Amino acid sequence: MVLQNFKRLHRTRMKVFNGDSRALSAARIKINEEFKKNKNVTDKNSIMAMIKFAEDVEVELRTQIIQAREVKPGIYEARITEETLKLDNIPYNDKAIPDDQTVKPRPCCQDQTRIK
């Protein structure tokens, strides 16, 4: 299971960071470093916890990371895959009223210094 997760992380790394040699190298070093650091662990519960962590990291890489490159000054192209998690984009509204009306605005620290 450990070897499967190691290989899966490297395959995901190759897919997610395709074309970005710096990110590919950094991810390879980090994956190898973490697995080497824990290669002497013998406790079954610890190993299972690390396997679960590796699986979670693989899912995060696959679904949360997107690559973007500048195609023209100020214009970027993002590589979004079918697996990329897509959420609804909610525009910012500075006139929105918070759900919790019990929060009272606190005075600004500059206001306090003027009072003194």
Side-chain angles (χ1 to χ4, degrees):
M1 285 176 63
V2 172
L3 186 57
Q4 283 177 334
N5 278 284
F6 179 77
K7 289 179 178 181
R8 188 177 303 124
L9 276 169
H10 277 291
R11 281 191 299 270
T12 300
R13 166 189 71 91
M14 296 296 288
K15 184 177 178 184
V16 169
F17 300 119
N18 185 22
D20 186 346
S21 59
R22 261 185 33 203
L24 281 167
S25 178
R28 179 180 49 79
I29 290 168
K30 186 64 175 173
I31 292 167
N32 292 344
E33 200 175 82
E34 290 300 316
F35 275 81
K36 282 179 187 174
K37 180 173 74 175
N38 296 303
K39 74 178 182 179
N40 294 322
V41 174
T42 56
D43 179 54
K44 187 175 182 174
N45 291 333
S46 295
I47 293 170
M48 295 309 290
M50 287 185 274
I51 287 172
K52 173 70 172 117
F53 181 73
E55 290 169 350
D56 292 345
V57 167
E58 192 272 333
V59 169
E60 288 293 311
L61 283 171
R62 202 169 16 89
T63 61
Q64 301 289 329
I65 304 296
I66 61 169
Q67 284 182 298
R69 65 183 178 95
E70 191 171 29
V71 290
K72 294 179 186 173
I75 306 221
Y76 293 84
E77 176 182 82
R79 197 180 94 207
I80 299 173
T81 67
E82 285 295 317
E83 294 179 309
T84 304
L85 180 63
K86 299 161 195 84
L87 301 173
D88 291 334
N89 189 12
I90 301 171
Y92 175 73
N93 180 356
D94 61 349
K95 295 181 175 105
I97 300 171
D99 291 338
D100 184 8
Q101 296 295 323
T102 61
V103 178
K104 304 286 184 213
R106 296 189 321 204
C108 176
C109 59
Q110 292 176 349
D111 293 338
Q112 292 176 358
T113 57
R114 284 188 214 136
I115 294 172
K116 292 180 182 178

